[in-house]
Amino acid sequence: MAASVRPRIPAAIDNPAYQAYLTLRVGFVVAPILFGLDKFTNLLTDWTTYLAPSIDHLVPGSATSAMLAVGVIEIIAGLVVAVRPRVGGYLVAAWLAGIITNLLLLGDHYDLALRDLGLLLAALALARLATAFQPTHNTERL
């Protein structure tokens, strides 16, 4: 009887793949939201210096308004990862591809582009791991 009263801990908690999934999920929720919020405060850096002039000329408004839009998109991406990591992982990967393209066009931050390529690969890994550890949201009933 005592065994049935003991709280059940999901078997996945001891699974290294599940631990990697949780690490990536938390990271890709927290980081985009924090970076997105920083676009409004510029505490970490002046984000407008990372906007390639060719991109700046394509988007309407100033570089500052473009970075505010980027901040909103990053916050949304982090929230999507929180709610739907399968979709959010691919969303963050696509967003990082855009950031990499911008950095390559800027021509001055190849080290950051390479780092962001690593993050893109991690976001893809999150999306794939989410298929193993998240319910499918199947509404089909018996």
Side-chain angles (χ1 to χ4, degrees):
M1 288 277 184
S4 64
V5 177
R6 201 171 91 196
R8 247 186 109 216
I9 297 173
I13 202 81
D14 292 330
N15 181 339
Y18 183 70
Q19 294 167 357
Y21 162 73
L22 285 180
T23 301
L24 290 169
R25 186 173 181 186
V26 169
F28 282 114
V29 168
V30 173
I33 291 172
L34 289 179
F35 282 121
L37 290 172
D38 194 61
K39 300 298 187 292
F40 293 89
T41 64
N42 287 314
L43 291 174
L44 296 175
T45 189
D46 176 6
W47 291 103
T48 60
T49 63
Y50 290 97
L51 184 61
S54 55
I55 302 293
D56 190 21
H57 294 309
L58 287 176
V59 295
S62 66
T64 300
S65 62
M67 284 296 117
L68 294 177
V70 165
V72 169
I73 293 167
E74 288 173 338
I75 292 167
I76 291 169
L79 294 173
V80 172
V81 171
V83 177
R84 299 286 303 269
R86 251 185 269 187
V87 174
Y90 290 118
L91 175 63
V92 170
W95 185 246
L96 285 162
I99 291 171
I100 291 166
T101 301
N102 174 72
L103 290 170
L104 293 175
L105 288 172
L106 193 55
D108 197 24
H109 299 288
Y110 299 115
D111 56 332
L112 298 179
L114 183 59
R115 179 213 52 202
D116 286 348
L117 176 62
L119 289 171
L120 183 151
L121 295 173
L124 291 175
L126 168 64
R128 294 298 299 138
L129 285 167
T131 64
F133 298 112
Q134 285 295 300
T136 60
H137 299 290
N138 189 354
T139 58
E140 185 178 303
R141 293 189 177 137
L142 297 175

